[in-house]
Amino acid sequence: MGIGKQAKRILITVAGVILLVVGVVLLVLPGPGLLLVLAGLLLLASEFPALERYVDPVRDRAMKAAEDSVSSPLRIAGSVLAGLVLLAAGIVWGTVKSLPFSGWSTGSSLILSSVILFALLIWSYRRVKGRREAASHS
């Protein structure tokens, strides 16, 4: 195995572990936890085939959670509100120096979480809407 292949394998492993750990943390915090767990597993499974058996169950749960998040107007409103709270918290943490862990490193991570939440919300809504339209035309 050449040094280039070994370095690539290490980078993929480190990235996969980071995504997996952040995803697990986000299972209890606001954010796209299951989708990050899935992304981490997909990366790790590309280097460690024994992990492939975990990909499909996590993918199914992640897609179900994404669909559930847009299953009613109340859930959509709650998700939008959560995204706005994350965005506001990011701005506050970035600008108010007296808060614990204040600064733009914390603020930008909260803002990034809100952007990811909004992107996933839009993606989930389009996916569910497309499935409903396809079902109604059948």
Side-chain angles (χ1 to χ4, degrees), residues 66-72 76 120-137:
E67 289 175 7
D68 288 348
S69 70
V70 294
S71 63
S72 72
I76 294 171
L120 290 172
L121 186 63
I122 292 167
W123 176 81
S124 298
Y125 180 78
R126 287 184 174 173
R127 178 184 168 107
V128 169
K129 184 179 175 185
R131 283 188 175 179
R132 287 181 185 157
E133 288 175 357
S136 69
H137 293 301

Side-chain angles (χ1 to χ4, degrees), residues 35-118:
L35 290 172
L36 287 179
V37 169
L38 176 61
L41 274 176
L42 286 169
L43 272 177
L44 291 170
S46 71
E47 295 298 322
F48 305 99
L51 295 176
E52 287 180 13
R53 68 179 186 199
Y54 299 107
V55 171
D56 285 337
V58 172
R59 178 182 289 131
D60 293 343
R61 291 193 65 187
M63 294 303 122
K64 175 81 171 101
E67 289 175 7
D68 288 348
S69 70
V70 294
S71 63
S72 72
L74 186 60
R75 285 185 180 231
I76 294 171
S79 296
V80 169
L81 181 62
L84 292 173
V85 167
L86 280 171
L87 181 64
I91 293 169
V92 168
W93 252 269
T95 57
V96 177
K97 302 298 178 200
S98 61
L99 293 171
F101 307 108
S102 67
W104 284 109
S105 59
T106 303
S108 62
S109 67
L110 289 168
I111 292 169
L112 179 61
S113 292
S114 74
V115 170
I116 291 170
L117 188 147
F118 287 132

